[in-house]
Amino acid sequence: MDDTKNIFVIGLNDFNRQRLETLRGVEHYRFHGVIAPEAVYDTEEFDIAAMLEEATAQLEAFEGSIDAIVGYMDFPVSTMLPILCERFGTRSTSLESLLKCEHKYWSRRVQREVIPEFIPAFTAFDPFDDEALTQIGAAGLYFPFFVKPIKSSGSRLGFRIDTPEDFYQAIEQLRGSIGMIADPFNTVLEHARLPPEVAAVDGHFCMAEEIIGGWQCTIEGYVHNGQVVSYGIVDSLRYPQVLSFFHYRYPSGLPDPIQDKMVELTDTVMRHIGYDNAAFNVEYFWDEVQDRIWLLEINTRISQSHCDLFEKVDGVSNQQVTIDLGLGHRPDMPSRQGDFPMAAKFFYRVFFSDAVVTRIPSPEEVAELESAFPGTVIAIQVEVGQQLSTLPEQDSYSYALAYIWMGAEDSDTLLANYERLVAQLQFEFADIVS
């Protein structure tokens, strides 16, 4: 009897396939891609209806068993998964519970029901309403505050607002670009049963929130048959004076009582949402000065950026969690069985307004550096001739030229090795000729 399980991965690329082939039990799995990876990774245009139709046709044409349908990306993959899993009878959380995490206004409303003292003041607003700033003030939010779309992707279209001029500059960008995510997100909302107060706030709306900050971290966890499990906390450290991420570090250096409280809050809110049989990660701030914890946002997936960190420190990528849950099994993540006590993903960035790339490190140069720093993986994110402003999924302040995963004995060694490595990582640029 063939006990091989057919696991379908939306947007399966070579990078993830290689990682998946290292998981425990992989000899019993057969991985299949659903929807080409470039349709979800290398574009900012998402025709959700067409992708759902394409995925359904691919799955219906498959002659074997469909044992799991999984994905590792945020929008649009995360929002398609519950719809496809329901159609084909595989394990996933419900679409409504997922949207209580991903629809930022709905998410804040349900968080406020159970952990009100751990979330910022917030309100939704229509960026196409010329009176939006007045309405934000009427809701009790004053400068400075933060604005972002109801459904965002990464840090894109998120802005700190200190003055009316900041607001109107942000509004101009939001009006021009928000439809790229809002339109497909609204397609997903049509599949869900929404409360009237949430249905009135569609994907074209934005959020204004009180400024929160501090030591940022992410809890990686899952819910299996109603039990919430948090299995790791990753620190998110930023470049000085800007919002851009410098590196993710695992395990966290937060004080144990703070970590314990974040785990408790996560359990409370995920149970309240009704999220089940799926992975998640929850981002928090710890304001060390006020000794106050803030919940930033909930993501309905593992973080791909953290996979290598868990593999280096714990011994297996946390992709294992997604596969186990998709098959209906309780995940069994090892702890501290990897090759390194600490690991990080670094973002090598430039803070240009724009430029054209004229040189990148060659594959031979990359391989030599990876060999010189054992355990290191370097993923170049740009090509020669590319204009930086064409890079997808960038924040509003910088461009990430490379992702660099490294392991070490401690944080000081990690940082020292990174500085030695990037000193040898040669990029060159030219100004844009208008």
Side-chain angles (χ1 to χ4, degrees):
M1 179 179 175
D2 185 8
D3 62 352
T4 300
K5 301 295 184 182
N6 292 300
I7 300 169
F8 292 82
V9 184
I10 300 179
L12 178 62
N13 58 13
D14 292 339
F15 185 72
N16 267 317
R17 184 181 287 276
Q18 290 168 9
R19 289 186 178 282
L20 289 169
E21 295 294 347
T22 69
L23 299 183
R24 291 167 299 157
V26 70
E27 65 273 13
H28 301 296
Y29 305 154
R30 185 172 293 122
F31 297 106
H32 310 268
V34 180
I35 303 177
E38 56 268 19
V40 292
Y41 282 96
D42 300 329
T43 180
E44 293 183 350
E45 297 183 11
F46 307 114
D47 188 337
I48 293 282
M51 285 194 281
L52 285 170
E53 187 175 332
E54 177 187 345
T56 299
Q58 282 184 259
L59 291 162
E60 287 179 344
F62 186 71
E63 295 184 355
S65 61
I66 298 172
D67 299 298
I69 305 171
V70 302
Y72 293 102
M73 268 194 74
D74 189 10
F75 189 81
V77 172
S78 58
T79 45
M80 290 192 287
L81 280 171
I83 298 170
L84 291 170
C85 288
E86 184 176 16
R87 285 182 186 176
F88 291 92
T90 60
R91 296 291 283 269
S92 175
T93 197
S94 67
L95 179 59
E96 283 74 22
S97 66
L98 179 136
L99 289 173
K100 286 178 184 178
C101 304
E102 294 209 8
H103 186 300
K104 294 190 184 300
Y105 180 62
W106 197 1
S107 190
R108 284 300 192 206
R109 289 181 66 97
V110 295
Q111 292 165 32
R112 188 170 60 189
E113 291 168 2
V114 287
I115 55 167
E117 63 270 37
F118 298 96
I119 66 170
F122 67 93
T123 189
F125 70 93
D126 182 353
F128 296 92
D129 183 348
D130 292 337
E131 299 300 317
L133 186 56
T134 301
Q135 294 176 8
I136 290 170
L141 278 167
Y142 308 103
F143 302 118
F145 56 86
F146 199 77
V147 300
K148 55 188 173 183
I150 284 294
K151 178 67 196 123
S152 60
S153 183
S155 302
R156 194 169 171 272
L157 295 179
F159 304 92
R160 179 188 168 102
I161 307 299
D162 290 288
T163 65
E165 290 74 23
D166 290 344
F167 182 77
Y168 291 116
Q169 287 177 12
I171 285 295
E172 186 176 351
Q173 292 190 51
L174 286 161
R175 288 177 174 179
S177 301
I178 197 169
M180 299 181 76
I181 291 182
D183 293 338
F185 188 56
N186 284 342
T187 300
V188 173
L189 295 180
E190 292 170 3
H191 290 263
R193 297 177 296 276
L194 306 176
E197 63 275 13
V198 173
V201 179
D202 73 6
H204 290 89
F205 275 68
C206 291
M207 292 283 284
E209 290 193 347
E210 175 187 1
I211 296 286
I212 57 175
W215 184 328
Q216 188 172 353
C217 68
T218 302
I219 288 189
E220 292 276 357
Y222 62 85
V223 189
H224 178 253
N225 290 343
Q227 182 179 7
V228 182
V229 177
S230 297
Y231 56 84
I233 301 181
V234 179
D235 292 333
S236 302
L237 306 169
R238 297 178 184 270
Y239 282 86
Q241 309 304 317
V242 294
L243 291 175
S244 304
F245 287 117
F246 175 28
H247 65 287
Y248 301 146
R249 182 183 65 193
Y250 178 66
S252 172
L254 282 164
D256 288 343
I258 300 301
Q259 295 191 42
D260 292 343
K261 184 61 180 179
M262 289 177 175
V263 169
E264 177 191 323
L265 292 170
T266 300
D267 184 273
T268 298
V269 76
M270 299 311 289
R271 286 178 184 272
H272 181 65
I273 285 169
Y275 195 82
D276 203 4
N277 296 312
F280 64 81
N281 70 75
V282 185
E283 299 176 52
Y284 288 96
F285 284 116
W286 175 46
D287 184 331
E288 192 170 359
V289 176
Q290 299 185 51
D291 192 21
R292 184 165 185 179
I293 294 171
W294 298 102
L295 192 157
L296 176 59
E297 66 180 15
I298 304 170
N299 300 300
T300 57
R301 53 175 171 77
I302 66 162
S303 169
Q304 289 190 85
S305 291
H306 299 164
C307 292
D308 189 79
L309 310 188
F310 281 96
E311 187 172 337
K312 281 180 167 51
V313 175
D314 290 336
V316 66
S317 164
N318 59 333
Q319 286 163 306
Q320 187 80 46
V321 170
T322 301
I323 297 301
D324 288 345
L325 289 167
L327 292 169
H329 304 153
R330 177 188 171 88
D332 181 22
M333 280 291 290
S335 179
R336 310 303 188 261
Q337 296 179 24
D339 295 332
F340 299 93
M342 182 166 284
K345 176 188 178 179
F346 292 94
F347 297 82
Y348 182 60
R349 299 182 183 273
V350 290
F351 294 84
F352 301 158
S353 57
D354 204 357
V356 173
V357 181
T358 58
R359 184 193 191 279
I360 64 173
S362 68
E364 293 76 18
E365 290 170 333
V366 168
E368 187 175 335
L369 284 170
E370 290 177 339
S371 177
F373 296 88
T376 295
V377 177
I378 302 170
I380 305 298
Q381 299 298 301
V382 294
E383 299 175 351
V384 170
Q386 185 170 17
Q387 190 169 325
L388 292 177
S389 58
T390 66
L391 283 168
E393 300 296 335
Q394 299 299 301
D395 63 34
S396 302
Y397 308 95
S398 67
Y399 301 102
L401 305 181
Y403 302 149
I404 302 167
W405 291 267
M406 305 184 79
E409 289 296 313
D410 53 48
S411 59
D412 290 341
T413 307
L414 262 178
L415 289 169
N417 288 348
Y418 172 75
E419 294 297 339
R420 287 170 51 213
L421 184 151
V422 297
Q424 304 171 64
L425 204 59
Q426 298 301 311
F427 293 86
E428 294 176 5
F429 307 92
D431 292 336
I432 295 170
V433 178
S434 57

